[in-house]
Amino acid sequence: MYNHQHTPITRQQIVDLMQAGQHAEAIPLLQAACQSTPNNAEIPYLLGCSHARLGHWDAAVEALQHSIQLRSDVAPTHIALAGAWRALGKLDAAVASLETALQLDGNNADTHLALANEQILKGDLIDARGHLDQALALNPNMHQARLAMGQLEKTRGNFEQAIAQLETALEQEPQSLEGLCLLGSCLWILMRIPEAMASFRKALDIRPGCIDAVAGLAIAYEFTGEQDKAIALIEPLLGNGEYHIALAHAFGQTCKYTGRCREAIDYINETLKQPDLTIDSRKSLHFVAGKILDAMEQYDAAFAHYKAGNDLAPHLYDAVGNAQAVSNHISIFTPGLLMKLPRASQRSKRPVFIVGMPRSGTSLTEQILAAHPAVHGAGELNTLNRIAQQMPRELGGNQAFPACVEQLGQADMDRLAGKYLDQLEELSGQAARVTDKMPHNFYYLGLRLLLFPAARVIHCERDPLDTCLSIYFQNFYDAHDYAKDLFNIGIHYHQYQRLMAHWKQVLSIPILHVRYEDLVSDSERTTRELLDFCELEWDDQCLHFHNLERTCITASYDQVRQPLYTRSIERWRHYDRHLDELREGLRRGY
């Protein structure tokens, strides 16, 4: 090899420069070596690696492709090329390069991991899972593969599984900033706020300036109403020309308190241009931007972001299956069967079931009741659903719920009711009433009659267009398959109405129908109706529910911290031109 003065340069000298981080000095020497030894594939490989270290991605691609033309059977060259393609945002090309590398060396755990990471970015989660399984089979203690598995499960909406993977990763590498921050974000999504904060703080103890941890903690502070702390954390990080996903999210969450919403939108849009964002990250940012733009009354721009976020999610809703499930409830829970089946002998009035579609006022209703000193707001309990799903196994039969309810005897009713009441006891102590505001418990009102014939049901209703649009505007991750598409939301809402109409005809239980519009426009009268229905004395605190020191762990957490407002009534009119598919779904039903 020779330099420009024709002084011999050895391979080792160039490698020494690269290992010392002196890539700018190595590049002209490598370029000269390419000319003097044009058939040596290693030289353009090293040249491509130096360009990559300096962020010269186009030049890196050119050099690495030249190396592959000279010799195509070297797996590290294809791996390096994949990294350059990824930096340029060309994920398909990156995947193709890594697949070639695996054909050359299928037992390389690092390559399986790299390919899985690219597929997670693309949203190819099934293939990504396969490569992560292979990486961990080759190297069970591979910390980065375990982290990637956590990211994959988070992207799929399997947050409990993600947490399990991340906890294993952190057992292997307790100081992993990526693991701690990813764990914190999963805990936050599950509303395990103190644990999320602890995870972010541990990351900050390890590296005080960790942006993911700073932003994650700021978002948690905003959630708990500590806006000043949130703003103080992120302000020093803004304006340096760098765009970071977690910081964009935190900026978007807090900008309304600082009057910097336009800046936040610009920051989010620039962040969305970054090539290495996961599908999950992009989706989340689109929802944050949509919420900001809606508040700014830029409705078409807001809808565009909400649509972009929903379009990134897998559309897996089984409309026919849901319609059949509703039909099964209607055909099973007939007046004749309900007259024949026994009721639980313990006629407890402690449970108060708040049902309805999501975004129909269930959180607001619970917060009003929870302000009463005799009421404990338990939030969204999955207990009825779990009882229903476990019932076939407990009964020892092969019929799924709801068909298996025909097998229930008096002892079964008492046992299942006791299981639910035991959980309320753990959550609420001696509160006279305990609210369970799982909206989709409307599927289980027939079962509820059998287990708690004396308990109250509050059915929250809201204008269908407002309800459905609000669902579309909420990032539910994978909690509600129907929520990603306006047509499917309309279909699901139609089936909900169909089932509620059936319950009104056949159930002999007290049900109070509360309209969201009445709740916010005539709050005292509606609140008195709620308390009378629950057999509770009047208490003025219920009109000041927003002062209640209680963390609401649902999508409505911001609303329940404010006095009642009416601006969400007929909100759909701002988006009327976008709602044809929703109207068609509401009309057709399935």
Side-chain angles (χ1 to χ4, degrees):
M1 297 183 189
Y2 295 88
N3 66 7
H4 63 285
Q5 296 176 328
H6 305 291
T7 303
I9 297 292
T10 67
R11 175 188 182 280
Q12 188 58 50
Q13 287 174 304
I14 292 176
V15 171
D16 288 344
L17 285 173
M18 294 176 66
Q19 289 179 342
Q22 297 177 320
H23 296 282
E25 291 79 3
I27 284 173
L29 302 178
L30 287 165
Q31 290 170 332
C34 283
Q35 294 178 355
S36 62
T37 53
N39 295 320
N40 186 338
E42 184 187 25
I43 298 171
Y45 166 71
L46 294 174
L47 178 60
C49 291
S50 281
H51 277 304
R53 292 299 298 272
L54 294 173
H56 304 162
W57 300 113
D58 288 323
V61 167
E62 182 180 356
L64 293 166
Q65 287 180 325
H66 181 207
S67 178
I68 291 169
Q69 288 173 356
L70 295 172
R71 184 173 178 180
S72 62
D73 62 344
V74 180
T77 311
H78 292 280
I79 294 170
L81 180 59
W85 284 132
R86 179 184 184 183
L88 290 169
K90 298 182 178 180
L91 299 186
D92 288 337
V95 167
S97 292
L98 289 168
E99 288 174 340
T100 301
L102 278 180
Q103 290 171 6
L104 297 169
D105 181 8
N107 292 320
N108 189 319
D110 290 329
T111 309
H112 280 293
L113 171 60
L115 182 52
N117 282 330
E118 300 298 338
Q119 289 168 329
I120 289 172
L121 285 173
K122 288 186 61 190
D124 296 338
L125 302 184
I126 294 176
D127 289 342
R129 178 61 185 262
H131 285 292
L132 288 176
D133 285 339
Q134 291 184 65
L136 289 167
L138 292 165
N139 184 357
N141 296 319
M142 194 175 192
H143 166 69
Q144 290 296 329
R146 195 67 67 182
L147 289 180
M149 193 73 86
Q151 177 64 67
L152 183 147
E153 295 294 358
K154 177 177 181 283
T155 302
R156 295 177 64 186
N158 299 330
F159 302 112
E160 295 288 359
Q161 293 92 320
I163 288 170
Q165 294 287 348
L166 294 168
E167 287 176 340
T168 300
L170 286 166
E171 290 173 2
Q172 298 168 342
E173 295 285 345
Q175 302 293 301
S176 170
L177 293 173
E178 182 181 356
L180 288 167
C181 292
L182 194 53
L183 176 62
S185 68
C186 290
L187 291 166
W188 182 86
I189 290 168
L190 292 179
M191 305 303 173
R192 292 161 61 176
I193 306 303
E195 294 171 82
M197 286 181 160
S199 191
F200 291 131
R201 288 187 179 118
K202 185 174 180 179
L204 288 172
D205 288 340
I206 297 168
R207 184 185 297 170
C210 176
I211 294 179
D212 281 307
V214 170
L217 189 56
I219 291 170
Y221 276 136
E222 193 276 334
F223 182 87
T224 58
E226 299 174 275
Q227 294 87 6
D228 290 344
K229 290 183 180 180
I231 293 165
L233 280 172
I234 67 169
E235 284 289 341
L237 303 177
L238 298 171
N240 61 4
E242 295 183 9
Y243 297 96
H244 190 281
I245 170 63
L247 189 56
H249 194 271
F251 193 11
Q253 290 289 99
T254 59
C255 68
K256 62 186 174 183
Y257 306 111
T258 60
R260 300 178 64 184
C261 288
R262 183 68 262 171
E263 293 175 66
I265 289 295
D266 292 340
Y267 190 96
I268 289 170
N269 285 333
E270 287 299 319
T271 304
L272 284 167
K273 295 177 184 178
Q274 306 307 305
D276 58 346
L277 297 184
T278 64
I279 297 293
D280 182 51
S281 295
R282 292 185 184 279
K283 182 173 67 169
S284 176
L285 277 189
H286 280 300
F287 278 98
V288 173
K291 184 175 181 180
I292 297 169
L293 289 163
D294 177 81
M296 295 170 66
E297 300 183 359
Q298 297 183 21
Y299 300 117
D300 287 344
F303 188 86
H305 272 287
Y306 284 127
K307 186 177 188 306
N310 279 303
D311 286 350
L312 287 169
H315 290 204
L316 304 175
Y317 180 57
D318 181 4
V320 174
N322 182 63
Q324 185 59 54
V326 169
S327 295
N328 289 343
H329 281 82
I330 292 172
S331 63
I332 295 295
F333 286 101
T334 62
L337 179 71
L338 291 171
M339 288 181 62
K340 180 178 71 173
L341 288 175
R343 307 291 191 267
S345 56
Q346 185 174 353
R347 301 301 172 94
S348 175
K349 293 185 178 181
R350 290 194 77 202
V352 176
F353 296 92
I354 302 173
V355 303
M357 286 291 286
R359 315 300 292 160
S360 64
T362 54
S363 293
L364 185 58
T365 299
E366 180 180 57
Q367 188 77 352
I368 290 170
L369 288 173
H372 194 285
V375 178
H376 175 80
E380 297 182 355
L381 302 180
N382 195 41
T383 314
L384 272 187
N385 175 64
R386 190 162 56 247
I387 287 172
Q389 300 311 313
Q390 293 175 353
M391 192 181 296
R393 184 175 71 249
E394 293 191 11
L395 292 174
N398 56 10
Q399 285 187 304
F401 182 86
C404 62
V405 297
E406 299 184 50
Q407 305 170 38
L408 291 172
Q410 184 68 58
D412 299 314
M413 299 294 186
D414 291 341
R415 175 175 50 83
L416 294 175
K419 182 183 297 187
Y420 184 94
L421 292 172
D422 286 345
Q423 183 178 14
L424 294 194
E425 187 77 22
E426 292 176 11
L427 292 170
S428 63
Q430 299 302 312
R433 300 287 182 269
V434 184
T435 57
D436 176 351
K437 65 153 296 279
M438 179 62 77
H440 278 78
N441 274 343
F442 66 76
Y443 282 106
Y444 302 116
L445 292 187
L447 177 63
R448 195 228 68 107
L449 167 64
L450 302 175
L451 301 184
F452 306 105
R456 297 297 194 254
V457 173
I458 298 168
H459 175 214
C460 294
E461 299 177 276
R462 184 183 179 188
D463 178 273
L465 292 177
D466 277 338
T467 303
C468 294
L469 188 67
S470 188
I471 289 170
Y472 188 68
F473 286 177
Q474 182 62 44
N475 185 4
F476 284 112
Y477 297 91
D478 285 346
H480 304 295
D481 287 339
Y482 61 87
K484 319 300 190 300
D485 177 90
L486 284 172
F487 180 70
N488 284 337
I489 295 172
I491 287 175
H492 192 84
Y493 191 95
H494 181 102
Q495 293 300 321
Y496 142 76
Q497 288 182 311
R498 179 177 166 229
L499 184 56
M500 286 306 303
H502 173 72
W503 295 137
K504 290 176 185 178
Q505 289 181 345
V506 303
L507 297 183
S508 56
I509 56 175
I511 299 180
L512 177 67
H513 302 279
V514 175
R515 287 193 57 78
Y516 172 83
E517 292 80 2
D518 296 335
L519 193 59
V520 299
S521 62
D522 194 355
S523 58
E524 182 170 344
R525 179 186 62 80
T526 311
T527 299
R528 288 185 182 278
E529 289 179 358
L530 283 168
L531 296 180
D532 288 345
F533 180 70
C534 295
E535 299 181 351
L536 295 167
E537 297 292 328
W538 173 255
D539 194 294
D540 285 338
Q541 292 182 70
C542 294
L543 294 179
H544 306 287
F545 62 89
H546 50 282
N547 296 325
L548 181 64
E549 292 186 4
R550 169 180 177 264
T551 299
C552 173
I553 57 173
T554 72
S556 301
Y557 74 93
D558 194 39
Q559 183 184 21
V560 300
R561 294 203 301 245
Q562 305 176 51
L564 290 170
Y565 55 79
T566 60
R567 61 179 178 271
S568 292
I569 296 177
E570 296 193 339
R571 182 188 186 193
W572 64 266
R573 294 189 182 279
H574 302 306
Y575 298 94
D576 189 36
R577 61 194 296 263
H578 303 288
L579 302 183
D580 288 348
E581 290 186 0
L582 172 57
R583 289 188 174 92
E584 181 64 13
L586 287 168
R587 184 187 67 81
R588 286 177 54 180
Y590 61 97

